[in-house]
Amino acid sequence: MPINSFENYPMSWKPSIDKTKKPIYQAIAGQLEQDIINRALLPGTKLPPQRELADYLDLNLSTISKAFKVCELKGLLSATVGSGTFVSYDALSNAYLLEDIKPKHLIEMGATLPDNASYEPLLLQLKNMLQETDYEKWFGYGRPGDSLWQKDAAVKLIRRGGFETTVDHILFANGGQNAIAATLASLCQPGDRMGVNQHTYPGLKTAAAMLSVQLVPIKSENYEMSPTAFEYACKNENIKGIYLIPDYHNPTACCMSVENRKAIAAIAQKYNQFIIEDATYHLHNDKSLPAVASYAPEQVIYIASLSKSIAPGLRLAYVSVPSRLKETISKALYNLNISVSPLLAELTARIIVSNQFEVIIERHREQTIRRNQVVNQHLADYTCLGTDTGIFHWLLLPGKITGAEFEILAAQQGVQVYAAERFVVGNSCPERAVRVAVCAPKTLEELEQGLMILTRLLNDYT
């Protein structure tokens, strides 16, 4: 024990370490992880300063720093310049997000799915492809030359979303999450830091954790990433880039203003930051806004996936990348993909070039508006962010109930919604909110039944 006594000194964490176990920093990291898992250390807890903890344990400062770094790379801790080190609010989110089996009795209002009644053009196109004399080629390996006209289709779809690009910038990926993971793997090293909204897409969090990339929450204003906060992070948080969903942000359902898109792009250029622009929901807008990539094409990796706007089973994404990054990201995509399915690539390209994708999108939009009319009727007395063409809403909860508590209560009553805790990043405090999916219920009747259950629960806490 050091000369100064800490017996009565207020510290948020006083570990007891067996110094015979080597290396000591791993023992400290192990106890810290167990205390977080066992809830002895709660999310948001500020840990003692490293120097103070080193003095308390009579150890070198470097030993404490190494222990904290191990836990940071696991996503358990979040360090903020000038504020200290905190237990991340999403410290246990990996286990929380990996639940993939839900009881059959639950009405699904958690997963973001388009309606399932708009797929006829896909079916007809697929039948036509399989009736062609050389249909067997759709089940073999694709070759680079086969994809040239498909890249024209990619350019057309991306243009529809508000970004002008060319075929020489296009890469294919097996879905948006695959494209995100490949981009992180190619542009980041373990321990690198990337800025994100305070609540963000869980698939990004999973990919970042897998690659030991630390996510740094950047403050929002009116649910949009603040350009001022982004510039502060560039100067002080040692970030390499940011991840954005400008159109219908997941989970808060906000749409970034054109002014902020321009400001974010300008800051990225000024500090040479890369931007991953996730355009998953870009086709849900009535009128497309210019993509962030339009204002900083050499900084932005633009990912246009199809699972939310056309069909979840179309595991395909088009990625428009700056020339200087194309080779690096292409290699990462190849190593993660091996290859994109020729069947899905051809089916998607035909749907786009024939303009049948516009029919599918319009049918989805009609179904979504119809469902949102029902949502608006039931949730009129509550703050429910989103638009009539969006497939999910961000429901702010009354009273003092947390999103996690409400999610549990809703599941007990037979409805699955997703709490803010699933989306929160680092030491950001989760909003008291849940994401409510509009098109996931199989029928309008099931949607209405789920909304009635949610409304009863909300009334209990008003």
Side-chain angles (χ1 to χ4, degrees):
M1 178 64 70
I3 296 174
N4 296 324
S5 174
F6 285 83
E7 186 175 343
N8 298 312
Y9 189 81
M11 292 176 66
S12 58
W13 187 54
K14 293 184 177 182
S16 177
I17 302 300
D18 182 356
K19 295 182 181 179
T20 63
K21 293 183 178 180
K22 307 292 184 179
I24 295 176
Y25 79 90
Q26 288 187 353
I28 297 171
Q31 182 169 341
L32 183 53
E33 181 173 0
Q34 284 304 309
D35 285 348
I36 292 171
I37 291 172
N38 296 333
R39 303 283 180 170
L41 279 173
L42 297 176
T45 301
K46 184 177 181 179
L47 293 180
Q50 293 183 25
R51 190 173 301 279
E52 188 174 291
L53 194 57
D55 197 11
Y56 170 70
L57 295 172
D58 201 13
L59 294 171
N60 291 329
L61 177 61
S62 61
T63 302
I64 305 300
S65 297
K66 288 174 70 176
F68 276 31
K69 180 58 69 176
V70 168
C71 291
E72 268 194 83
L73 291 175
K74 290 184 177 182
L76 300 172
L77 301 180
S78 179
T80 304
V81 175
S83 299
T85 303
F86 299 80
V87 178
S88 296
Y89 276 97
D90 60 345
L92 303 178
S93 65
N94 286 342
Y96 192 53
L97 289 166
L98 289 177
E99 299 171 317
D100 58 358
I101 299 175
K102 297 182 176 67
K104 293 182 179 179
H105 70 278
L106 283 182
I107 296 173
E108 179 60 80
M109 297 184 72
T112 55
L113 302 170
D115 73 279
N116 58 9
S118 306
Y119 298 145
E120 186 179 3
L122 280 172
L123 177 61
L124 293 176
Q125 188 64 257
L126 184 59
K127 285 181 176 179
N128 290 337
M129 288 173 58
L130 296 179
Q131 288 171 1
E132 295 175 7
T133 56
D134 57 350
Y135 71 88
E136 69 278 357
K137 67 185 178 182
W138 312 130
F139 302 98
Y141 285 115
R143 299 189 181 279
D146 298 337
S147 67
L148 292 179
W149 85 276
Q150 295 171 359
K151 290 186 176 182
D152 287 326
V155 168
K156 180 176 180 178
L157 183 84
I158 291 173
R159 182 185 302 123
R160 173 70 164 71
F163 178 42
E164 290 285 346
T165 188
T166 57
V167 293
D168 53 312
H169 290 282
I170 299 296
L171 298 172
F172 292 174
N174 282 323
Q177 189 169 355
N178 182 276
I180 291 168
T183 302
L184 290 181
S186 60
L187 301 184
C188 298
Q189 298 294 322
D192 281 349
R193 296 159 65 85
M194 188 173 73
V196 295
N197 289 86
Q198 292 165 301
H199 296 80
T200 197
Y201 169 49
L204 171 72
K205 293 170 61 177
T206 301
M210 178 180 67
L211 297 167
S212 296
V213 174
Q214 297 179 54
L215 300 183
V216 177
I218 296 179
K219 291 182 179 180
S220 299
E221 295 176 359
N222 298 320
Y223 294 101
E224 297 183 41
M225 182 181 288
S226 162
T228 302
F230 173 34
E231 184 159 23
Y232 176 87
C234 293
K235 294 177 180 178
N236 300 288
E237 297 285 2
N238 194 31
I239 62 172
K240 293 191 68 174
I242 56 171
Y243 168 86
L244 295 173
I245 309 176
D247 298 298
Y248 220 80
H249 175 256
N250 182 12
T252 61
C254 82
C255 186
M256 182 178 284
S257 67
V258 173
E259 180 183 10
N260 274 4
R261 294 174 193 231
K262 290 179 180 178
I264 292 287
I267 293 166
Q269 289 174 319
K270 179 179 179 181
Y271 294 94
N272 194 27
Q273 297 276 312
F274 71 80
I275 298 175
I276 299 176
E277 182 171 2
D278 188 341
T280 296
Y281 301 97
H282 68 313
L283 297 180
H284 289 256
N285 289 332
D286 287 325
K287 294 182 180 179
S288 297
L289 294 175
V292 176
S294 300
Y295 304 111
E298 288 305 308
Q299 308 300 130
V300 180
I301 300 92
Y302 182 92
I303 301 172
S305 58
L306 304 164
S307 62
K308 308 303 183 185
S309 56
I310 297 183
L314 286 180
R315 305 307 300 165
L316 181 69
Y318 300 131
V319 189
S320 179
V321 300
S323 300
R324 63 187 175 87
L325 302 176
K326 185 176 179 182
E327 183 177 358
T328 303
I329 295 176
S330 179
K331 288 180 179 178
L333 282 167
Y334 178 82
N335 290 331
L336 288 175
N337 285 336
I338 303 305
S339 64
V340 173
S341 163
L343 176 65
L344 293 183
E346 182 73 12
L347 173 61
T348 304
R350 292 189 184 198
I351 286 289
I352 294 169
V353 171
S354 66
N355 278 335
Q356 288 176 306
F357 84 108
E358 295 283 9
V359 175
I360 296 174
I361 290 169
E362 185 54 37
R363 289 182 181 177
H364 280 323
R365 181 176 283 115
E366 291 171 358
Q367 291 288 333
T368 303
I369 290 173
R370 188 174 298 122
R371 284 173 175 251
N372 274 313
Q373 289 172 346
V374 178
V375 172
N376 293 338
Q377 290 171 5
H378 284 271
L379 299 179
D381 294 334
Y382 300 95
T383 303
C384 198
L385 307 180
T387 68
D388 288 343
T389 59
I391 62 174
F392 61 87
H393 290 275
W394 190 236
L395 174 61
L396 305 186
L397 299 172
K400 295 183 179 180
I401 189 169
T402 67
E405 291 167 343
F406 190 85
E407 179 180 328
I408 293 169
L409 289 173
Q412 290 171 348
Q413 297 299 314
V415 180
Q416 176 72 70
V417 294
Y418 287 166
E421 284 79 355
R422 290 179 178 261
F423 307 94
V424 73
V425 176
N427 61 355
S428 302
C429 184
E431 194 162 22
R432 291 189 302 101
V434 293
R435 191 185 71 186
V436 179
V438 173
C439 296
K442 295 178 182 178
T443 63
L444 275 171
E445 291 73 23
E446 188 176 69
L447 171 65
E448 189 151 23
Q449 182 184 354
L451 288 168
M452 290 171 65
I453 293 171
L454 295 181
T455 303
R456 285 201 302 269
L457 287 173
L458 291 167
N459 290 340
D460 290 340
Y461 289 92
T462 301

